[in-house]
Amino acid sequence: MKTIQVLIGCLGVWLFLDIAAHLGAEIFWFQEVGYIEVFWQRLLIQGGLWLFVVSVSAVYLLGNLSLAQRWKYPPSPNFMSVQELKISRKLTSFLSPQYPRNNQSPQWDNYTSKIKLRSLLPLILGLIFLVCLMLTHYGNVALSYWLEQVNQSSLSVPLLFRSEIILQLGKQIISQPWSLGLLGGLSMAILIYSKLCLGAIAIIFSLSFGWILSQHWSKILLSFHPISFDHPEPLFGKDISFYIFHLPFWELLGFWLIGLSLYACISVILTYLLSANSLSKAVFPGFSAPQMRHLSGLVGCLMLVVSLNYWLSRYQLLYSVRGVSYGASYTDVQAQLPADTILYILSLAIALYLLWLTVFWQQKSSHHRRLIYALGIYITLIPIGNFIVPMTVQNFIVEPNELQKEQPYIMRNIALTRQAFNLDVIDSQIFNPTGKLTKADIEANELTIRNIRLWDQEPLLKTNRQLQQIRPYYKFTDADIDRYLIKSNGNQEKQQVLIAARELNYPDVPPQAQTWVNQNMIYTHGYGFTMSPVNTVAAGGLPEYFVKDIGENGSVLNTSSANIRASIPIGQPRIYYGEISNTHVMTGTKVKELDYPSGSDNVYNSYDGLGGIQINSLWKRWLFSIYLKDWRMIFTQDFLPETKVLFRRNINQRIRTIAPFLKFDSDPYLVVADAHIDGQNQQFPGKENYLYWIVDAYTTSDRYPYSDTGKNSINYIRNSVKVVIDANNGTVRFYIADASDPLITAWSKIFPKMFQPLKNLPVNLRTHLRYPVDYFKIQSERLMIYHMTDPQVFYNREDQWQIPNEIYGNESRKVEPYYLITSLPNVSFEEFILLLPYTPKQRTNLIAWLAARSDSENYGKLVLYNFPKERLIYGQEQIEARINQDPVISQQISLWNRQGSRVIQGNLLVIPIEQSLLYVEPIYLEATQNSLPTLVRVVVAYENRIIMAPTLEQSLQGIFQPELAPPATIIRPLEDEIG
């Protein structure tokens, strides 16, 4: 016994220390990043919510079980000792003064008839099975939140415990032998130790309810800070803010209360049915008047919650998938809505009547017969209202006249989906590429031509990994497309580039060098970046670099020219915070950090940034050693008074910890800029650190009425926030990019010190904002269907679009959106845009393309260019087919593929120039022995002409100077210099 007590004591101390260390470390970290108010507010709402839900649940469940123990039948005296019988009589006399006090066993006036074993046993086992189903359902939800990190931005309200859930869980339990074994074990435990088991299950439910609801703290916070959308939905006329802010709260309340009230009823009924030795005597004497009064109150509460859920189900019809379009259909509005309303009113009336009977209970009353009739009518109406009537209306009224009946609801679906995904602001234009491009047009669009992307991210990254990683422990995880102003001949010219961060990836350190000191004190940061123009090629077909290597003197990166040095600030390009910085490190120790390699030697440095938490006392060492699970921190002798610990250095983890209620873009991108150009900006304090990460963040919801969720499980999204992270100091700033979004307005009221207006972002960083690809993909996917605004066209799906395929390498895949610097039709200047073409469903010709603008005052504007349907405009797949079917081009590709190398056909870009379309595809050659792709050819297609040449200039010359090329339908490649 003492050993067990010691073990329990040690476990309690360990648990206390772990919780204290976690809380303390989180406080220090949020203080470091400057968002301690966010932490305290979130902690208080989560903790308060958990405590409230657990307390209310435990009081309600255990209180009712206690009452059931008081009013249940006592065991038969034949099965009790004399002493136990005396104690039982005293206890029942104390708890129930109405019980007989003589020496005879207590007697009740049974209010209901007896229940014999043939009915009693199935009833008890059925109730126990229902308890198992509830435990499985609520347990699965709670465990999913416990085992996986909860993503607040996409956390949906759990499904209610309804009939369809019961059927699904029942099938799972029956089909799995181990589930049946657990069910049998739990059944035996409840039958033998009913009081203990039912009480334990009540505690489990209480803790689970508290845990589940506390994870939805963001929805509960939003419900108390609603912001009007100033736009009502058409069915109930409520402002959309009700569905975004309030409905999730009511759904959570219904999820909690239905489980609470249902288990209370089941556990009390089981307590009564298992009393009076009913199983051993093969008969239950019937429910007594006190028991019936108790059950009346419990069933009244349950019916009150059921009425709440029927009230909610009326609004949930706006997310129905029953009709031909998303949202409430004809059947939902004309049949299901009246049925739900009737069931809501009837269940509410029954609930109030039961509660009235509970308060004003009469042993013999005619009201009881009326209640039985009402319950009978209610139970009969459930299948009629939920299944029979809607099915009849759908099959016999709607389906024979579907377009006519569903037309107004299709219009609602189209209008509100376009609003929810910001498609209604797209500027739609007709683009008829009838222009005849000439050499003069090409020269007039020189900036567009000079920024045609010949280097894709994949081949550039492979080349970087071969030529620019310098050491095995450096890694280029991604290459990002951006534009920079490059000085040239006294002017500044916009240049599209690929920039890639050289981060330190500790797992790539040689295994024999993976020591604790190396991991935590020496290998602390990455160094520098590469920058390559997208359209130029160096000797040997390799990419040209504006910025590369590490300088010969070991202090700066190498730049290609004085203009680049004047245009791209280098400073001290250390990367302590990045996409793969997954280790915690200690800086300012006796051990010098590896800064960068310099020839055969290394240069060392001590971190002088603003990030990190000082651990200048023994108790802080203990605290962070427990939190980081790193006991060596306590015993090392390398720490100094100025030593700091830097953790949560992965930028994705960093920003998600601060703002878990936002959804973040999957592609953070690196920016090189001087944020202190005016000498006054204090947004990012520090010196000579010019590397910043920019991440797009979104507000999302799945409760926008009538808006189709599609594949992403959301039906509302806005790119409302731009997040900037200092790569050296770890400073994080959130800027509101879309002030018209009600969700971000609500969050800025909840956390007023967290968000800033976009004008506070330093201008040199603001010029690098770009329309995010993830957001653009979601919008473009919805637009494939929801460009059709005519309900009949939408119903017939006669104009549905798709994203075309392209050949990349030797595989077919969907075309990805791509950035370009070009001038849009009818726009007189070049700008940075994101573009994606469309083809008709199951066809390959171009039908439209969508462009998102990213520069200055035009940022965020979407333009849709529709091609004329009566003309054939070549799509990517058609151009790819013509390239691969050309005998000369295919022969050359086949020849390269047979000589110890393989050909990679790069992204086929569709580039609008003037009133025409130009198609450009780079072709890379990669040796099978190493991944060092080189650009060997550029294919250019225009109208009915295709040419492949070593350079873009030669390809364009062959296209637009026909006197230099044979007048064939497909122009053969120029003379092969490479062979």
Side-chain angles (χ1 to χ4, degrees), residues 670-823:
L670 188 69
V671 169
V672 185
D674 184 358
H676 310 85
I677 195 167
D678 56 2
Q680 303 295 321
N681 193 297
Q682 296 301 313
Q683 289 288 307
F684 299 95
K687 57 182 181 179
E688 291 194 341
N689 50 291
Y690 304 128
L691 296 184
Y692 301 89
W693 298 96
I694 296 181
V695 188
D696 287 278
Y698 312 107
T699 51
T700 61
S701 176
D702 61 353
R703 297 285 87 184
Y704 203 94
Y706 281 102
S707 176
D708 193 350
T709 55
K711 298 183 297 184
N712 299 290
S713 300
I714 58 171
N715 59 9
Y716 174 85
I717 185 170
R718 289 292 184 272
N719 177 211
S720 301
V721 178
K722 302 288 184 179
V723 188
V724 183
I725 307 104
D726 189 320
N728 185 63
N729 297 314
T731 307
V732 181
R733 296 286 183 265
F734 296 85
Y735 300 93
I736 296 178
D738 185 359
S740 64
D741 173 34
L743 274 171
I744 200 60
T745 303
W747 283 118
S748 62
K749 287 188 174 183
I750 295 169
F751 302 122
K753 296 182 180 179
M754 185 173 185
F755 299 98
Q756 304 181 57
L758 194 60
K759 65 180 181 181
N760 288 0
L761 179 64
V763 64
N764 280 4
L765 289 172
R766 209 182 312 156
T767 57
H768 290 282
L769 298 180
R770 66 184 195 182
Y771 203 91
V773 173
D774 285 359
Y775 186 40
F776 189 74
K777 281 182 178 179
I778 292 173
Q779 290 179 304
S780 60
E781 287 173 1
R782 291 297 184 284
L783 193 64
M784 291 190 295
I785 295 175
Y786 287 95
H787 70 277
M788 298 180 284
T789 54
D790 182 273
Q792 183 164 353
V793 174
F794 184 93
Y795 176 80
N796 296 332
R797 293 293 199 270
E798 61 188 69
D799 191 24
Q800 189 169 340
W801 296 346
Q802 65 183 7
I803 297 171
N805 292 323
E806 65 172 354
I807 301 295
Y808 195 89
N810 55 5
E811 297 178 355
S812 178
R813 68 181 189 184
K814 293 291 184 185
V815 171
E816 292 287 322
Y818 51 91
Y819 291 101
L820 285 176
I821 291 180
T822 188
S823 59

Side-chain angles (χ1 to χ4, degrees), residues 216-335:
H216 288 268
W217 60 271
S218 59
K219 289 181 173 58
I220 294 172
L221 263 180
L222 282 175
S223 68
F224 290 99
H225 299 83
I227 303 296
S228 175
F229 277 68
D230 294 325
H231 189 87
E233 53 80 21
L235 183 58
F236 298 101
K238 288 184 174 292
D239 190 85
I240 288 173
S241 61
F242 168 79
Y243 300 93
I244 302 293
F245 293 98
H246 296 302
L247 186 59
F249 170 79
W250 287 106
E251 289 174 333
L252 277 172
L253 191 64
F255 172 82
W256 170 39
L257 294 181
I258 195 72
L260 188 68
S261 54
L262 185 58
Y263 180 70
C265 281
I266 294 172
S267 61
V268 168
I269 293 172
L270 279 172
T271 300
Y272 290 146
L273 291 177
L274 291 170
S275 63
N277 303 114
S278 58
L279 290 179
S280 60
K281 288 194 168 186
V283 65
F284 176 68
F287 292 104
S288 66
Q291 292 171 356
M292 284 299 298
R293 186 175 187 180
H294 188 193
L295 290 175
S296 174
L298 288 176
V299 175
C301 292
L302 176 61
M303 292 301 297
L304 199 61
V305 176
V306 169
S307 70
L308 168 65
N309 287 317
Y310 272 117
W311 177 73
L312 291 175
S313 66
R314 298 164 66 250
Y315 299 110
Q316 289 164 346
L317 292 175
L318 299 180
Y319 315 107
S320 169
V321 294
R322 175 182 273 144
V324 295
S325 60
Y326 189 88
S329 63
Y330 179 90
T331 302
D332 292 318
V333 173
Q334 303 299 327

Side-chain angles (χ1 to χ4, degrees), residues 562-576:
N563 284 333
I564 298 300
R565 286 192 292 275
S567 306
I568 308 297
I570 302 297
Q572 298 296 330
R574 300 183 179 96
I575 303 175
Y576 280 86

Side-chain angles (χ1 to χ4, degrees), residues 271-495:
T271 300
Y272 290 146
L273 291 177
L274 291 170
S275 63
N277 303 114
S278 58
L279 290 179
S280 60
K281 288 194 168 186
V283 65
F284 176 68
F287 292 104
S288 66
Q291 292 171 356
M292 284 299 298
R293 186 175 187 180
H294 188 193
L295 290 175
S296 174
L298 288 176
V299 175
C301 292
L302 176 61
M303 292 301 297
L304 199 61
V305 176
V306 169
S307 70
L308 168 65
N309 287 317
Y310 272 117
W311 177 73
L312 291 175
S313 66
R314 298 164 66 250
Y315 299 110
Q316 289 164 346
L317 292 175
L318 299 180
Y319 315 107
S320 169
V321 294
R322 175 182 273 144
V324 295
S325 60
Y326 189 88
S329 63
Y330 179 90
T331 302
D332 292 318
V333 173
Q334 303 299 327
Q336 191 67 62
L337 179 59
D340 285 347
T341 304
I342 292 170
L343 288 170
Y344 156 63
I345 295 171
L346 187 56
S347 56
L348 179 62
I350 292 172
L352 295 176
Y353 185 64
L354 283 168
L355 294 174
W356 180 82
L357 284 180
T358 304
V359 176
F360 303 101
W361 180 263
Q362 295 179 8
Q363 182 80 13
K364 303 291 183 180
S365 173
S366 59
H367 296 302
H368 300 157
R369 187 178 299 275
R370 296 174 190 169
L371 177 61
I372 294 172
Y373 292 152
L375 286 172
I377 294 171
Y378 175 77
I379 293 171
T380 304
L381 285 177
I382 290 176
I384 294 174
N386 287 333
F387 303 105
I388 297 173
V389 172
M391 190 182 302
T392 303
V393 171
Q394 183 69 26
N395 291 334
F396 297 101
I397 298 178
V398 175
E399 289 186 3
N401 312 281
E402 196 164 49
L403 177 59
Q404 176 192 354
K405 297 297 183 182
E406 298 287 9
Q407 184 167 335
Y409 307 103
I410 293 174
M411 293 175 65
R412 295 176 182 181
N413 169 237
I414 294 171
L416 274 83
T417 300
R418 288 174 61 86
Q419 289 172 16
F421 291 96
N422 225 21
L423 305 182
D424 56 338
V425 300
I426 292 178
D427 179 14
S428 184
Q429 302 179 14
I430 299 296
F431 177 51
N432 190 1
T434 56
K436 297 294 182 181
L437 280 180
T438 63
K439 181 181 178 183
D441 293 325
I442 296 298
E443 292 173 351
N445 290 273
E446 184 182 3
L447 183 60
T448 297
I449 300 301
R450 285 206 305 269
N451 282 283
I452 291 177
R453 178 163 60 83
L454 302 180
W455 284 101
D456 302 335
Q457 287 99 324
E458 291 182 31
L460 180 77
L461 280 173
K462 289 181 179 179
T463 304
N464 272 5
R465 288 161 187 162
Q466 290 289 326
L467 304 179
Q468 291 295 312
Q469 285 192 179
I470 311 296
R471 292 290 187 272
Y473 45 78
Y474 286 132
K475 187 174 183 179
F476 292 94
T477 57
D478 193 17
D480 300 303
I481 295 178
D482 203 349
R483 70 284 195 202
Y484 284 79
L485 292 175
I486 305 298
K487 294 180 180 179
S488 177
N489 301 323
N491 298 318
Q492 287 187 325
E493 186 176 278
K494 191 178 294 183
Q495 174 71 57

